[in-house]
């Protein structure tokens, strides 16, 4: 059957003309999109403080029972539509006779992308700045209090933060403006091997110079007494957000995917690759933390304060530390490229504008919104727009933007993509796309997508709103 609906029935842009040159390029780009800042600090810390390998078991189950079926759903939609998320949803809704209001699901995802990249690029800018700070020996011989003071001073210099924010966005725009083959593929062919080999090198270093046994014990010792309903829901939520489903990013990359690429196998590889990176990050970080007698329960400060202190105290710490922050930068960049690509594809469809024009314009808009995050750490740190609501009484603008994406836009978007693919697309279409026949594997995907994943997301959604 044809993967495209009749163009004459659609008063919208034509399908994409580019495609991934190889399946490997798509996989590297997609794994890179999934791997981000959260893999480096949030997942290892959450794992270690929530039951170790007991948490991992729930997380892995959630990856394959919740996140991966939704990822496959977005892949189906992207390859069927071969347009931006809004036009893909509009095209497919028209094809099956569904309401055109499904188009708003695509716009919902674009809103999430725009907002998340506005604050994501600010945090990534910190990593870019810390490559140079660490390499120059700024933290050499510093105590934890002195390192914390350097970080606090950095946060209270909005012009400096804005400059690093702009620099990170400029790199992202430069790559995306050159298209799939000329920009994104070339970038991921460098960035993903760099990320992997840097991570492995840091794990080897941690095994030699750190308290590797204690770090492994912290990460993987099973403590089922810590597994509560709240921890289980946190594991599901971590799995869902880890592979970045729910905002149309996977859908966008899949729009460029050739018809002969096997979707279930690709989704499985992406999920496994993302999880392996997160586990390796923990194996690189916590042996160093414990060897230096530092606190592993410091969240974001684990990167910019705790580890900077450790790097400042160890022989060759300036080199090791700068390599570590390079790893953070690469992980952030592979995700930011995917986010901006989702926005740029839609912008290109507007009167067939050039991506070399639209990517910089989008970058400028994202930069401006990102200034609200920059100011949230200094001039606006005491500004709480929703102070009259107990849940948001102490949240800055940055906190509100993060909450909007993590607790509203992503879970609702993921649920709706799953429901559309599972309930509205025909069995014939999904069987053809998944290419596994109409047997147990297909029926499992259909059940997970239609029932299990939406219910799991609803549970996490309600829990996070509490």
């Amino acid at each position: 059957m044809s993967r495209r609906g009749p163009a004459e029935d659609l008063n919208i842009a034509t399908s994409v003309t580019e495609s991934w040159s190889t399946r490997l390029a798509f996989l590297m780009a997609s794994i890179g999109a999934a791997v981000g800042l959260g893999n480096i600090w949030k997942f290892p810390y959450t794992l270690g403080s929530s039951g170790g390998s007991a948490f991992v078991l729930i997380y892995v189950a959630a990856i394959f029972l919740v996140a991966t079926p939704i990822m496959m759903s977005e892949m189906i939609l992207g390859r069927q539509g071969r347009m931006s998320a809004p036009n893909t949803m509009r095209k497919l809704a028209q094809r099956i006779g569904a309401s055109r209001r499904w188009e708003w699901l695509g716009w919902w995802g674009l809103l999430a992308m725009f907002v998340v990249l506005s604050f994501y690029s600010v945090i990534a800018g910190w990593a870019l700045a810390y490559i140079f700070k660490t390499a120059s020996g700024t933290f050499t011989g510093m105590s934890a209090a002195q390192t914390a003071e350097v970080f606090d001073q950095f946060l209270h210099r909005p012009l400096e933060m804005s400059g690093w924010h702009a620099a990170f966005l400029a790199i992202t725009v430069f790559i995306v403006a050159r298209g799939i083959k000329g920009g994104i593929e070339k970038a991921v062919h460098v960035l993903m091997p760099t990320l992997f080999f840097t991570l492995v090198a840091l794990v080897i270093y941690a095994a030699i110079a750190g308290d590797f046994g204690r770090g492994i014990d912290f990460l993987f010792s099973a403590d089922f007494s810590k597994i509560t309903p709240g921890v289980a829901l946190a594991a599901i939520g971590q799995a869902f957000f880890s592979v970045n489903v729910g905002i149309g990013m996977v859908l966008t990359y899949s729009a460029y995917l050739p018809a002969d690429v096997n979707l279930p196998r690709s989704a499985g590889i992406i999920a496994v690759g993302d999880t392996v990176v997160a586990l390796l990050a923990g194996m690189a970080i916590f042996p160093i933390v414990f060897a230096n007698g530092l606190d592993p329960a410091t969240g974001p400060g684990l990167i910019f304060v705790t580890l900077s202190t450790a790097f400042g105290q160890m022989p060759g710490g300036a080199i090791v530390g700068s390599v570590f922050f390079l790893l953070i930068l690469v992980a952030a960049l592979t995700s930011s490229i995917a986010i901006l690509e989702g926005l740029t594809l839609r912008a290109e469809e507007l009167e067939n504008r050039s991506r070399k024009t639209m990517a910089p314009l989008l970058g400028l808009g994202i930069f401006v919104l990102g200034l609200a995050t920059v100011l949230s750490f200094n001039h606006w740190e005491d500004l709480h727009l929703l102070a009259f609501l107990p849940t948001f009484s102490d949240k800055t603008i940055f906190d509100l933007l993060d909450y909007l994406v993590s607790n509203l836009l992503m879970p609702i978007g993921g649920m709706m993509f799953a429901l559309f693919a599972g309930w509205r697309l025909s069995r014939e279409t999904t069987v053809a796309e998944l290419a596994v026949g109409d047997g147990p594997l297909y029926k499992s995907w259909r059940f997970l997508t239609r029932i299990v994943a939406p219910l799991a997301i609803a549970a996490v959604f309600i829990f996070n709103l509490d």
Side-chain angles (χ1 to χ4, degrees), residues 6 43 70 127 146 181 206 276 295 300 317:
F43 176 75
I70 298 176
Q146 290 172 321
K181 290 187 174 70
V276 167
D295 181 10

Side-chain angles (χ1 to χ4, degrees), residues 420-455:
F420 185 88
W423 290 96
R424 300 312 304 264
L425 290 185
S426 69
R427 178 182 291 268
E428 179 188 13
T429 297
T430 52
V431 166
E433 284 289 354
L434 294 179
V436 293
D438 195 3
L441 286 178
Y442 172 77
K443 291 176 181 177
S444 296
W445 169 82
R446 193 170 170 87
F447 174 72
L448 292 173
T449 302
R450 298 176 108 193
I451 307 297
V452 175
L455 289 178

Side-chain angles (χ1 to χ4, degrees), residues 357-373:
T357 299
M358 301 311 297
L361 288 177
L362 285 166
L364 178 61
I366 292 165
F367 171 77
V368 172
L369 180 58
L371 294 178
T373 292

